[in-house]
């Protein structure tokens, strides 16, 4: 029977053909199959897994080699230092979306009782992170997909976020008469013909990624709606593609927003835009 060290070496070699992080993937999948931590693998490289664990690892490895994202195989992904449950009904939270959380937190005063909405919450990563960092705020998270909303609720419960409510609906339709200090969203913004959609991303829900021919359809719909649900002086904060900053700023300006500011991600690419509704 192969040892942990041998399994890791062989599987990383196979994974190198499909993944930029073959060793990490192999460790995460083996730890999952053995029901232990990665640290445990490093501490016991000569251990020989049981046949049923070996089989479990083999099956995970096969799925990974077909391109399935590690986060779906493990059923979880870390975001803003917390573990979120994820499933193929939701987008896998991305590191670049942590920028959105960072921008939102820089706006929300520490002890504020702001009302915040997160549109298209998916796994709930943005809404729950904000709710936990600013426990006196009230966060409302919406999603059009009931399975996603169930997962988001379960994440909120497990992570102890009590100040977040979940509503089923298309963008702001569930929020009718409510008004917010901040509306934040990571909507779908990929163009339908983007070649990027053929990669690993094909396992993620198209509804959370694709927004028409130019990737701007969701912004066209939701920007005019956000205006109706913001308090005067309220903010909107949007994640977008790195070539969309100008188009998004134009849609915001046309809808009457002011103080439009774009922020870059860690790679220096324009990635999110903030704007204010005049008082
Ligand atoms: N940043 C994601 C990607 O390019 C897209 C996320 C989105 O459409 N909201 O993979």
């Amino acid at each position: 029977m192969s040892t942990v060290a041998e399994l890791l070496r062989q599987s990383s070699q196979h994974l190198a053909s499909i993944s930029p992080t073959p060793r990490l993937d192999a460790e995460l999948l083996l730890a999952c199959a053995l029901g232990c931590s990665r640290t445990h693998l490093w501490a016991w490289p000569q251990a020989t897994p049981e046949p049923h664990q070996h089989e479990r690892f083999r099956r995970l490895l096969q799925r990974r080699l077909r391109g399935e994202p590690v986060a779906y195989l493990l059923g979880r992904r870390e975001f803003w230092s917390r573990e979120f449950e994820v499933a193929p009904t939701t987008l896998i939270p991305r590191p670049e979306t942590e920028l959105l959380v960072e921008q939102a937190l820089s706006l929300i005063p520490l002890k504020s009782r702001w009302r915040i909405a997160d549109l298209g919450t998916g796994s709930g990563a943005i809404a729950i992170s904000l709710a936990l960092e600013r426990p006196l705020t009230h966060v409302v998270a919406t999603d059009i997909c009931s399975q996603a909303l169930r997962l988001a609720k379960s994440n909120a419960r497990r992570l102890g976020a009590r100040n977040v409510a979940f509503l089923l609906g298309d963008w702001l339709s569930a929020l009718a008469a409510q008004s917010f200090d901040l509306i934040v969203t990571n909507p779908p913004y990929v163009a339908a013909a983007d070649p990027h959609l053929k990669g690993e991303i094909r396992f993620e829900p198209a509804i959370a990624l694709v927004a028409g021919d130019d990737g701007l359809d969701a912004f066209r719909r939701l920007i005019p709606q956000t205006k109706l649900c913001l308090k005067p002086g309220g903010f909107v904060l949007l994640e977008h593609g790195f070539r969309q900053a100008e188009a998004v700023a134009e849609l915001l300006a046309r809808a009457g927003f002011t103080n439009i500011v774009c922020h870059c991600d860690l790679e220096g690419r324009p990635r999110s835009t903030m704007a204010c509704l005049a008082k």
Side-chain angles (χ1 to χ4, degrees), residues 12-88:
S12 334
Q13 273 168 9
H14 286 138
L15 287 164
S17 60
I18 61 114
S19 170
T21 53
R23 177 75 191 191
L24 174 65
D25 291 11
E27 289 181 3
L28 287 167
L29 297 180
L30 187 57
C32 174
L34 302 188
C36 69
S37 64
R38 282 170 66 212
T39 331
H40 189 98
L41 300 179
W42 304 333
W44 308 102
Q46 298 312 323
T48 50
E50 301 285 327
H52 73 278
Q53 295 173 319
H54 205 279
E55 178 54 23
R56 205 182 298 155
F57 177 56
R58 199 186 56 79
R59 263 183 273 133
L60 286 170
L61 190 60
Q62 262 174 3
R63 287 170 63 188
R64 181 69 190 116
L65 286 167
R66 281 198 291 267
E68 241 178 287
V70 173
Y72 287 156
L73 296 175
L74 304 182
R76 55 176 206 271
R77 171 54 142 262
E78 191 184 298
F79 181 84
W80 202 257
S81 305
R82 297 186 182 93
E83 286 269 313
F84 284 80
E85 231 181 285
V86 294

Side-chain angles (χ1 to χ4, degrees), residues 91 94 96 186-190 196 201 208-209 239 271:
L91 201 69
R94 309 277 204 272
E96 61 262 30
N186 172 19
Y189 55 72
V190 181
H196 171 62
I201 204 173
L209 287 163
E239 178 175 320
R271 180 56 71 178

